[in-house]
């Protein structure tokens, strides 16, 4: 069956794509014929195994760039490398993110700074570097992985909620700036997806709230999600592929939820 999204031969950078949602989004793009640049931390041998596997399974070119999303110069080099090595840049997915859960008056300042840098400021640096290429091409797609926490709050997540509300605002502002230039900028706001980031939160939440680990999933994490199901990677990939295709050309500046009804409440 031909790919319905007409993305064959395009080039995408997905930040934070050595794990979880980012890796799943990179693979979903690769399966549509998009050459991808992976980024993120992890065991170098595992990253290389994943890179080769995606190439072998999809037939696209897959590069890896180890830019640290707290370092502006490395982020710029990530974008420049995609353009230089693969000849174009059509899609930027700003996905890298970290979490720390603690009461605000006990929140470690260095954790606050890291969360703002990785979850918010890195998207500015990547977007700043990517837009001139997209403007010159007269087309581009930027998708920011925000969160339901870009729209509503939970306790003990002050830095994350601040960064995610920030990325929703950044998305809207950028979208307005480039609306006449064939470039769309949108945010995807997932509810809970069972990735390594969420696994780590389960233990942290148990500590912060003083309750058992098994109660956290039922009473805390999925308590906010009316469908009582973790969001699946395929559900996020479906929205991403729509947004980056020509079908998504009319959607810009939007914060689109995939949250099982969480933010409807
Ligand atoms: P994850 O921990 O599985 O993956 C995070 C990725 O970011 C990894 O590849 C990691 O190496 C990378 N990363 C972290 N710090 C980095 C740095 N300084 N430089 C470069 N890369 C770095 O997390 P995930 O759950 O897949 O989350 C991905 C995004 O989705 C995040 O922005 C997160 O806030 C958002 N999100 C996740 C959920 C969820 O339930 N998992 C829900 C809503 C939004």
């Amino acid at each position: 069956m031909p790919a319905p999204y007409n993305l064959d031969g395009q080039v995408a950078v997905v930040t934070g794509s050595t794990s979880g949602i980012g890796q799943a989004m990179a693979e979903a793009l690769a399966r549509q014929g998009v050459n991808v640049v992976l980024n993120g931390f992890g065991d170098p041998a595992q990253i290389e195994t994943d890179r080769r596997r995606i190439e072998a399974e999809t037939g696209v070119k897959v590069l890896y760039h180890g830019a640290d999303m707290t370092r502006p110069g490395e982020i710029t080099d990530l974008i420049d490398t995609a353009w230089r090595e693969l000849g174009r840049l059509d899609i930027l997915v700003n996905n890298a993110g970290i979490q720390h859960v603690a009461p605000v008056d006990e929140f470690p300042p260095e954790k606050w700074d890291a969360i703002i840098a990785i979850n918010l400021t890195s998207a500015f640096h990547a977007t700043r570097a990517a837009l001139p290429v997209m403007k010159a091409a007269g087309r581009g797609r930027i998708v920011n992985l925000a969160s339901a926490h870009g729209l509503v709050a939970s306790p003990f997540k002050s830095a994350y909620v601040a960064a995610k509300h920030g990325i929703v605002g950044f998305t809207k502002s950028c979208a307005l700036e480039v609306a006449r230039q064939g470039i769309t900028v949108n945010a995807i706001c997932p509810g809970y997806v069972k990735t390594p980031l969420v696994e780590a939160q389960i233990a942290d939440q148990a500590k912060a709230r003083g309750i058992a680990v098994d109660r956290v999933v039922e009473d805390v994490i999925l308590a906010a999600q009316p469908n009582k199901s973790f969001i699946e990677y395929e559900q996020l990939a479906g929205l991403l592929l729509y947004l980056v295709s020509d079908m998504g050309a009319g959607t810009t500046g939007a914060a689109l939820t995939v949250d099982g009804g969480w933010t409807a409440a």
Side-chain angles (χ1 to χ4, degrees):
M1 193 179 88
Y5 297 100
N6 283 325
L7 301 174
D8 204 37
Q10 293 196 11
V11 171
V13 171
V14 184
T15 71
S17 46
T18 53
S19 169
I21 295 170
Q23 188 172 55
M25 296 308 101
E27 292 198 32
L29 289 166
R31 281 194 292 275
Q32 297 300 324
V34 177
N35 303 298
V36 293
V37 182
L38 302 175
N39 158 260
F41 296 154
D43 171 31
Q46 184 60 52
I47 292 170
E48 178 59 10
T49 301
D50 288 335
R51 189 193 70 73
R52 284 174 188 244
R53 177 183 53 77
I54 300 168
E55 272 193 346
E57 286 175 5
T58 64
V60 302
K61 283 185 194 151
V62 182
L63 305 184
Y64 167 72
H65 189 292
D68 180 339
M69 289 295 120
T70 65
R71 296 175 185 240
E74 294 184 20
I75 300 169
T76 305
D77 191 57
L78 165 67
I79 300 298
D80 290 351
T81 299
W83 192 80
R84 199 175 54 239
E85 300 289 322
L86 298 172
R88 53 194 282 179
L89 177 60
D90 304 277
I91 300 164
L92 168 63
V93 182
N94 288 308
N95 164 83
I98 60 167
Q99 174 64 286
H100 185 79
V101 178
V104 67
D105 50 334
E106 295 169 20
F107 212 91
E110 64 278 10
K111 291 282 186 196
W112 172 279
D113 288 344
I115 288 174
I116 299 299
I118 297 166
N119 296 19
L120 176 59
T121 309
S122 76
F124 159 68
H125 291 298
T127 300
R128 184 172 64 92
L131 274 181
V133 180
M134 293 179 175
K135 285 180 179 176
R139 190 186 184 285
R141 294 285 187 266
I142 299 177
V143 178
N144 298 320
L145 258 295
S147 168
H149 281 125
L151 303 170
V152 296
S154 297
F156 310 120
K157 296 185 178 178
S158 54
Y160 188 86
V161 170
K164 294 299 185 182
H165 275 66
I167 196 97
V168 168
F170 178 69
T171 299
K172 292 179 187 176
S173 191
C174 292
L176 296 177
E177 287 185 28
V178 296
R180 297 287 297 274
Q181 289 165 280
I183 303 168
T184 68
V185 189
N186 290 287
I188 296 179
C189 298
Y192 281 103
V193 190
K194 205 167 187 186
T195 65
L197 182 145
V198 168
E199 304 267 16
Q201 274 181 67
I202 294 172
D204 287 351
Q205 282 275 11
K207 200 173 155 201
R209 290 169 182 266
I211 58 175
V213 163
D214 57 343
R215 303 300 309 162
V216 169
V217 172
E218 220 171 285
D219 296 350
V220 180
I221 297 194
L222 294 183
Q225 220 155 280
N227 73 347
K228 298 294 172 202
S229 300
F230 281 106
I231 301 302
E232 304 288 338
Y233 291 139
E234 293 71 25
Q235 297 161 0
L236 298 175
L239 180 55
L240 173 71
L241 293 175
Y242 162 76
L243 288 174
V244 301
S245 74
D246 286 341
M247 290 182 284
T251 302
T252 195
L256 298 158
T257 58
V258 186
D259 67 0
W262 175 349
T263 55

